[in-house]
Amino acid sequence: MESRKEVIAGHAVLIIGALVALYPFVSVALHALSPAPGSAATGWTLENFIGAWTRGGFSRSLWNSALVAFSVVGATAVAAVLAGYVLSVLKFRWRVFVFALLMIGLVLPSEARIIPLYNFFSATGLLNSYWALILPQVASSLPLATFWMANYFSQLPESLAEAAALDGAGEFDILRHIYAPLGMSAVMTLSCLIFLYTWNEFMLALVLMPDNVAVQTAPLSLSFFAGNERTTEPEVIAAAAVLVALPVVIAYFLLQRRFMSGLLEGAVK
């Protein structure tokens, strides 16, 4: 009986927490579906989404966000697998020093990098380009990604690499045919995290690409659009916010099982 009460109480807490977490998104979505003042529509309508899509140029900015996010995810995943294998399997002299450098990258606040990044990209002529957003986010994601993959690879039995080495396989062959396939669950979970982080990045986009509309990402376009329309049509702004958030929500719901299994897999091991 006591155990049943604990289960019910636990589920009640989880349900309340889920409702609290969903309330902001649901309220914005309902506001976006509501007819604007002076509209001929009655009940729920999609005209706010049509207005936000056409007037805000979100087809272009959503494509830019997708291009940046997938580029960052792909580059970071490949580099993290290589670096994680080297740091976890290969024993070399400066291994501890490399880990210390990665730790600095983990704790260094993003605000401290803004001015140096701006000066660097301004000097190289890469401001207001895709590279100004892709390269810094790959660099900022790599420390966590490397620790993630190094920790996963270190939990695999060393006998796998030893057996492959006895059969004449080189280090790259061992990584390609043994460690990389076994680490795909960790890579997928890591990719989900990096995708969510990259898609929502706003500060770097605001500083490094404010003047080129052709490469602006969805969060930055939403900020400019809301700033121009905030006093006139809040329903259209709400629709624009839903459009920007919807790809992340869809991606999470599609990949949540993979995401949770990847998070729990390391704990089980």
Side-chain angles (χ1 to χ4, degrees), residues 57-71:
F58 286 102
S59 58
R60 179 181 59 249
S61 61
L62 287 171
W63 162 255
N64 292 336
S65 287
L67 176 63
V68 171
F70 283 112
S71 299

Side-chain angles (χ1 to χ4, degrees), residues 149-239:
M149 295 309 303
N151 179 67
Y152 186 88
F153 287 152
S154 65
Q155 297 173 19
L156 298 178
E158 295 183 1
S159 57
L160 293 174
E162 293 173 355
L166 289 176
D167 289 337
E171 295 294 346
F172 184 76
D173 293 326
I174 295 174
L175 171 62
R176 179 183 176 186
H177 296 292
I178 299 177
Y179 278 79
L182 291 176
M184 283 307 299
S185 59
V187 172
M188 290 297 297
T189 305
L190 177 66
S191 298
C192 292
L193 286 173
I194 297 174
F195 179 84
L196 296 176
Y197 168 78
T198 305
W199 184 276
N200 293 319
E201 176 59 45
F202 173 75
M203 184 172 61
L204 281 176
L206 178 63
V207 175
L208 300 178
M209 53 169 53
D211 301 324
N212 189 354
V213 179
V215 299
Q216 287 176 359
T217 54
L220 186 60
S221 294
L222 174 61
S223 175
F224 291 157
F225 181 74
N228 294 331
E229 306 286 340
R230 65 179 181 275
T231 59
T232 56
E233 298 179 85
E235 294 82 9
V236 178
I237 296 175

